[in-house]
């Protein structure tokens, strides 16, 4: 419960209108795209770095916890006030401050929605590649904090690869900037990348400078239909092995196809076991050649049909399917848990098989989506969280999937982060030394433990 004097001090910074305390507002900001709920005491909407710094100083003076939040599309409760206190929501700091064509960079506030930045830079012939499935809602601040990846990761990498510099408010209330706008910068430790992926535990990001690329002149989308998911998985690893670099390489299994067809009636083949959705982009001649090569490749690996889009509009239509996939599957049952284990692409097929075997054995309904070119699996486990016994079976499946992914050289998370859902697994992947260094970094930034408490590091054992 927030003391009246704290609310008064916060209201003095941003005005009472931008301090939300009604039950309805608190409930709205009490959940994200995961299954947990934690109510904050107040949700506050700064419009500037100065206001953010003043909020942080006030919180520190009164020892109130602070949790940053973008759009709340995170999948691990990262933006929730797990121990109450203030949620700072950056949705009102949403200006694109600069698009610099000469030096190919953009400067944005953290509340800018990723898709809005993509559209704005494309309008002037530039390209911001990171493209999470949630790009239509997720913010740049959230993307930096989570090091968001997405569909174009296989060719273009993730948020980290585009960061030039940041401005941030530290838990002390001090403002710090990192990086430059130059293409190269090796001055000192790379604090920009330390913040990227830190899940809102080290600092509040208030300004972001990203590198841009020239916009690819052409793109083709291919849809390859398979009667066997193994064949689809093997095609992915062979494409990568053959040195072909598509811009995207996504896999949907039978259950995803069925759910999409039931919800959106896109004319997808209901008898297919899997579909690969593949983009190639670049100069027009290269794209035509690559599209033909990839189509042949898919057929030779067992695709029963390959459809190549013939226009920009058709490209988009094919992507409508993929972008709607999470929603289409999630509506089948009351609760959906999205796994994120990522493996070397050469063991993709074996991992998909293992995931299906684990879920079948534990009687858990699962659909498999994947940023397959990255080996980044998204098994969607469907259940009813009110049913304790069913939830336990889902958790057991999670444990087994994690163990398998780690046993084949994979990682706990390819892009969704650790949050509170995967915190207990951290010691399985990170050594005690790594965890000790991470805790020391957290203490250096946030000696009083005031920023985003109850997050991934604190959930692991040990105080060293
Ligand atoms: C349907 C769906 C599809 C998705 N697809 C992908 C995908 O393809 N790839 C992918 O990587 N992720 C994906 N995600 C996960 C999620 O959308 C991303 O992690 C996204 O980057 C979160 O952005 P957000 O603005 O919603 O952040 P939030 O969920 O609000 O916050 C996420 C984290 O960022 C911190 N944070 C937010 N703003 C700031 C700030 N200004 N300063 C410091 N910390 C901050 C929060 O404290 C929290 O720890 C998907 C999610 C959904 C629901």
């Amino acid at each position: 419960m927030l003391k009246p004097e704290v609310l008064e001090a916060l209201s003095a910074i941003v005005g009472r209108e931008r301090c939300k305390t009604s039950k309805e507002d608190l409930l709205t900001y009490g959940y994200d795209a995961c299954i947990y709920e934690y109510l904050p005491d107040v949700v506050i909407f700064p419009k500037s770095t100065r206001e953010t710094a003043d909020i942080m100083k006030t919180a520190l003076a009164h020892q109130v916890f602070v949790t940053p939040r973008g759009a709340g599309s995170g999948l691990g409760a990262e933006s929730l006030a797990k121990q109450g206190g203030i949620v700072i929501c950056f949705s009102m700091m949403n200006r694109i401050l600069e698009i610099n064509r000469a030096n190919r960079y953009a400067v944005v506030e953290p509340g800018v929605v990723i898709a809005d930045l993509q559209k704005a830079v494309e309008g002037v012939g530039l390209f911001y590649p990171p493209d999470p499935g949630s790009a239509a809602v997720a913010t740049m601040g959230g993307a930096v904090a989570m090091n968001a990846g997405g569909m174009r990761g296989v060719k273009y990498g993730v948020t980290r690869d585009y960061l030039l510099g940041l401005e941030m408010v530290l838990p002390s209330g001090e403002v710090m900037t990192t990086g430059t706008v130059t293409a190269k910068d090796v001055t000192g430790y790379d604090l920009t990348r330390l913040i990227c992926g830190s899940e809102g535990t080290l600092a509040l990001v208030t300004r972001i400078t990203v590198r841009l690329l020239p916009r690819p002149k052409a793109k083709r989308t291919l849809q390859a239909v398979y009667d066997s998911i193994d064949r689809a998985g093997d095609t992915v690893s062979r494409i990568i092995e053959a040195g072909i670099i598509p811009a995207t390489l996504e896999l949907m299994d039978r259950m995803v196809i069925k759910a999409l067809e039931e919800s959106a009636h896109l004319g997808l083949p209901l008898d297919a076991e899997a579909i690969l959705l593949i983009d190639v982009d670049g100069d027009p001649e290269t794209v035509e050649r690559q599209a033909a090569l990839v189509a042949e490749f898919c057929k030779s690996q067992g695709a029963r049909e390959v459809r190549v889009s013939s226009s920009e509009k058709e490209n988009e239509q094919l992507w409508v399917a993929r972008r709607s996939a999470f929603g289409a599957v999630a509506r089948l049952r009351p609760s959906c848990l999205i796994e994120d284990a990522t493996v070397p692409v050469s063991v993709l097929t074996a991992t998909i098989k293992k995931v299906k075997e684990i879920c079948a054995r534990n009687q858990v309904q699962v659909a498999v989506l994947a940023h397959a070119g990255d080996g980044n699996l998204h098994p969607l486990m469907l259940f009813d969280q009110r049913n304790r016994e069913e939830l336990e079976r889902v958790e057991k499946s999670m444990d087994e999937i994690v163990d398998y992914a780690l046993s084949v050289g994979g990682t706990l998370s390819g892009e969704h982060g650790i949050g509170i859902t995967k915190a207990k697994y951290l010691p399985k992947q990170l050594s005690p030394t790594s965890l000790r260094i991470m805790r020391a970094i957290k203490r250096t930034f946030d000696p009083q433990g005031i920023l985003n408490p109850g997050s991934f590091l604190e959930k692991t054992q040990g105080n060293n």
Side-chain angles (χ1 to χ4, degrees), residues 422-439:
K422 290 199 175 183
K424 66 175 175 178
Y425 304 127
L426 266 190
K428 289 186 181 220
Q429 184 173 337
L430 302 180
S431 69
T433 311
S434 297
L435 286 169
R436 177 170 56 80
I437 295 290
M438 286 190 193
R439 288 197 190 98

Side-chain angles (χ1 to χ4, degrees), residues 48-278:
S48 67
T49 305
R50 173 69 16 234
E51 286 182 357
T52 309
D54 288 346
I55 296 165
M56 197 65 240
K57 282 180 195 155
T58 304
L60 190 64
H62 293 272
Q63 289 291 296
V64 180
F65 296 129
V66 168
T67 305
R69 181 174 172 106
S73 70
L75 290 155
E78 297 92 356
S79 67
L80 306 191
K82 292 164 281 290
Q83 295 179 21
I86 302 167
V87 160
I88 301 188
C89 183
F90 285 98
S91 57
M92 288 189 185
M93 284 177 72
N94 60 356
R95 292 174 303 158
I96 296 176
L97 300 169
E98 183 183 358
I99 298 177
N100 190 307
R101 289 184 69 190
N103 297 302
R104 284 216 299 263
Y105 67 81
V107 184
V108 301
E109 291 184 326
V112 168
V113 168
I114 301 169
D116 290 344
L117 175 65
Q118 289 169 339
K119 248 180 265 151
V121 303
E122 281 170 25
V124 295
L126 295 171
F127 183 44
Y128 179 67
D131 190 29
S134 53
V137 294
T139 66
M140 288 297 293
V144 169
M146 300 308 294
N147 188 15
M151 328 240 193
R152 299 195 275 239
V154 59
K155 178 169 178 180
Y156 291 105
V158 297
T159 302
R160 178 201 291 130
D161 303 309
Y162 294 86
L163 279 184
L164 290 175
L166 297 172
E167 176 193 78
M168 64 194 89
V169 171
L170 301 177
S172 61
E174 292 164 283
V175 177
M176 179 170 86
T177 57
T178 66
T180 64
V181 294
T182 55
K184 292 157 104 183
D185 173 23
V186 290
T187 311
Y189 292 149
D190 192 341
L191 297 180
T192 308
R193 275 157 195 77
L194 181 59
I195 299 302
C196 183
S198 62
E199 303 193 8
T201 60
L202 299 181
L204 302 156
V205 175
T206 47
R207 193 170 287 208
I208 303 158
T209 305
V210 289
R211 191 164 69 88
L212 302 171
L213 300 182
R215 186 181 180 189
K217 293 195 175 67
K219 185 168 83 175
R220 280 274 172 276
T221 301
L222 292 90
Q223 183 181 280
V225 180
Y226 290 82
D227 289 329
S228 144
I229 193 164
D230 291 1
R231 289 291 191 151
D234 287 347
T235 305
V236 174
S237 35
R238 300 274 145 70
I239 286 180
I240 302 297
E241 198 180 352
I244 303 169
I245 309 182
T248 57
L249 186 37
E250 299 280 307
L251 181 144
M252 305 188 253
D253 79 351
R254 191 201 225 327
M255 196 161 145
V256 177
I257 299 167
K258 192 163 168 283
L260 271 174
E261 206 36 45
E262 277 166 10
S263 67
H265 313 294
L266 296 158
L268 299 172
L270 279 172
D271 59 339
E273 281 298 323
I275 290 180
L276 292 183
L277 208 51
I278 306 167

